[in-house]
Amino acid sequence: MEFKELLQQAGIVGAGGAGFPAYAKLSAGADTLLINGAECEPLLYSDYFLLRKEMESVLFGAHAVAEYLHIKRVFLCIKEHTARRLHAQEGEILGYGVTVKVLPNVYPIGDEISLIYQATGRVVKAGNLPVTAGVIVYNAETLYNVALAVQNGAAVTRKWVTVGGAVNEPAVVTVPVGTRVSDLFASLGVTVPEGHAVLDGGPSMGKIIDEEFAVVTKTTKGLLILPESCEAVRAKRLNAEKSAARAETACCQCTRCTDLCPRALLGYPLQPHKLVRTSPQAAKLSPGLVLSATLCCGCGLCASLACCQGISPKAVIDGYKALLARNKLKFVSQWEYPVPAEREYRMIPTERWESMLGVAKYDRLPAFKGELAFPRAEILLRQHIGAPSVPCVSEGDKVAAGEKIADSGEGLSLPQHAPIAGIVHLKKDTIIVNGN
């Protein structure tokens, strides 16, 4: 089987959270491959433990990609604190000729565009794909899954997840894809206190979920329990329309949101303070007025750190992103903008960001609990960017662990596989496997 088809048939997605099908990144023209082990978000340690336990497999996965695309230069990109724990040094040569690149402990350095500049000095033109700058980026866990597919023909059926926040003992575990969050919490003796929310992802970009119904997906990196009163949760409760209405009158045009915007600090023509003052009604009539909103990486610095008026530029921009998506509009530039000289002085230390979000006290190195098993899995048909998977099993079918249960949809898509053996039950947008 051809390498690109192998990755598709294995159902490999961007495990860092974006969910972009891994096979679709395999484009000619790149001379550099970056292994993203930066763990952009605070409180997450899944990639750290993956690198500590399975470094050889991650490096092999990177080697397989590099060999297929004839890439000669591969970097393992990790933050200073991870490098210290792994006893890795800047410029150190690892297996398969992979070079260690140590990144500063700043947020959001794991953002793909920021990572590329920090590691290579190259700027991806605004709105363009990284390969246009000669770079391809894969999360460490994605490459671990590539290794399993190449070496064993294994599909993606398990996930490395950090369980942290307001828990007695944070943990990193590997669980079957489709594991109910409530079952996982129960197995670890974790309860959600009253007045707390559960996030799928990190405190900055993670989404609030209902732990009674949510399941672990291929993009779940962490499950964090945080108090509703902390900024990390408060910022996610904001309504985009109300934020936009308030911003029209409350914004003082201090430009701090733009001054600290990571994409603006790469020279991108993104100015949150101007988007905040743009009339929503004008944007609806002429979406092109807010086209630059698609350049936002959603880091949340503008909302929780920069604004002195309590406005959330991010909430406003998210609303404009939805508007532009409905109109199928995206900012794409053929121009390369210069990187401002002040960038290195405006990057935000992770410790400061944690304090602003109100989560600093929860940043503790978790214990590694290893593999956990569960008797039920609920596999969502849409766990990736693109068309949802299409079931290829019927109600009551008996399936083996690793067996394909859904085919790829049309166009950009991926199949799904049973993480456990059991009996199939079909539900809208979900395939449930009840274990034997």
Side-chain angles (χ1 to χ4, degrees):
M1 186 183 296
E2 196 257 357
F3 184 71
K4 194 169 186 175
E5 183 183 359
L6 175 66
L7 300 198
Q8 182 179 21
Q9 289 303 313
I12 302 175
V13 306
F20 193 76
Y23 77 90
K25 282 190 175 184
L26 297 174
S27 302
D31 59 23
T32 302
L33 171 63
L34 302 183
I35 306 171
N36 188 350
E39 291 197 293
C40 187
E41 293 261 36
L43 310 188
L44 301 184
Y45 289 90
S46 304
D47 286 344
Y48 160 66
F49 278 100
L50 174 65
L51 291 170
R52 200 177 90 178
K53 302 287 184 179
E54 301 288 351
M55 178 69 82
E56 178 67 19
S57 293
V58 174
L59 298 180
F60 177 81
H63 169 70
V65 171
E67 191 173 57
Y68 176 74
L69 294 175
H70 307 292
I71 290 174
K72 302 299 183 185
R73 191 169 70 153
V74 183
F75 292 108
L76 170 61
C77 302
I78 51 179
K79 287 183 180 177
E80 292 169 353
H81 68 84
T82 301
R84 184 175 64 254
R85 291 186 173 106
L86 293 175
H87 305 291
Q89 304 292 325
E90 168 72 22
E92 180 181 349
I93 306 300
L94 305 176
Y96 303 102
V98 175
T99 303
V100 174
K101 187 67 181 179
V102 179
L103 310 172
N105 290 332
V106 298
Y107 176 80
I109 206 65
D111 164 55
E112 190 173 59
I113 304 302
S114 297
L115 180 73
I116 289 171
Y117 179 74
Q118 197 67 35
T120 69
R122 300 178 186 177
V123 177
V124 179
K125 292 176 182 176
N128 287 261
L129 295 174
V131 72
T132 61
V135 182
I136 291 178
V137 182
Y138 279 116
N139 175 259
E141 187 177 358
T142 303
L143 293 171
Y144 170 72
N145 290 328
V146 169
L148 295 182
V150 172
Q151 295 174 323
N152 307 315
V156 179
T157 58
R158 297 193 69 85
K159 195 73 182 76
W160 292 65
V161 180
T162 300
V163 178
V167 297
N168 290 330
E169 183 183 26
V172 170
V173 295
T174 71
V175 299
V177 172
T179 297
R180 282 184 169 183
V181 172
S182 58
D183 290 344
L184 173 54
F185 283 177
S187 71
L188 295 173
V190 170
T191 58
V192 181
E194 187 175 347
H196 286 63
V198 179
L199 306 186
D200 183 327
S204 313
M205 301 187 209
K207 295 181 179 179
I208 297 173
I209 59 172
D210 185 337
E211 70 277 8
E212 292 300 319
F213 301 99
V215 299
V216 172
T217 71
K218 293 180 181 180
T219 59
T220 301
K221 210 63 180 176
L223 294 166
L224 304 179
I225 299 173
L226 298 172
E228 290 277 357
S229 58
C230 76
E231 174 62 19
V233 177
R234 187 202 68 81
K236 300 179 197 310
R237 298 291 192 192
L238 294 175
N239 177 278
E241 291 187 6
K242 290 182 179 179
S243 294
R246 183 170 180 271
E248 285 188 90
T249 56
C251 178
C252 65
Q253 288 290 283
C254 67
T255 76
R256 274 175 55 84
C257 53
T258 297
D259 293 341
L260 293 178
C261 174
R263 292 291 176 87
L265 288 171
L266 285 173
Y268 278 29
L270 173 60
Q271 297 178 300
H273 73 283
K274 290 187 176 180
L275 290 172
V276 164
R277 290 301 295 267
T278 301
S279 165
Q281 294 305 315
K284 288 179 182 178
L285 292 173
S286 301
L289 290 172
V290 294
L291 195 59
S292 63
T294 62
L295 300 177
C296 170
C297 68
C299 70
L301 283 175
C302 58
S304 298
L305 178 64
C307 187
C308 61
Q309 298 287 359
I311 299 169
S312 175
K314 179 183 181 298
V316 175
I317 291 172
D318 284 346
Y320 288 149
K321 282 182 178 179
L323 171 68
L324 293 166
R326 291 194 295 272
N327 286 276
K328 295 183 170 58
L329 294 174
K330 179 183 177 181
F331 189 106
V332 179
S333 174
Q334 297 307 312
W335 298 96
E336 186 170 315
Y337 302 93
V339 175
E342 61 269 22
R343 176 182 179 271
E344 65 177 301
Y345 306 109
R346 291 185 181 172
M347 293 192 292
I348 307 303
T350 301
E351 293 81 2
R352 184 183 178 195
W353 181 234
E354 288 178 333
S355 296
M356 294 301 300
L357 292 177
V359 301
K361 64 181 179 180
Y362 303 119
D363 192 358
R364 296 166 288 162
L365 186 66
F368 182 66
K369 301 287 187 178
E371 295 188 6
L372 301 181
F374 298 90
R376 177 185 172 96
E378 300 181 12
I379 300 91
L380 304 183
L381 296 176
R382 188 186 290 278
Q383 300 186 55
H384 51 267
I385 292 174
S389 309
V390 181
C392 59
V393 291
S394 301
E395 182 76 23
D397 281 355
K398 189 173 183 178
V399 295
E403 183 178 337
K404 185 164 71 170
I405 56 177
D407 289 315
S408 300
E410 293 186 7
L412 184 68
S413 188
L414 288 171
Q416 306 295 338
H417 301 79
I420 61 173
I423 306 299
V424 167
H425 171 58
L426 298 180
K427 186 180 175 183
K428 183 182 179 183
D429 302 326
T430 307
I431 299 176
I432 299 172
V433 179
N434 289 307
N436 299 326

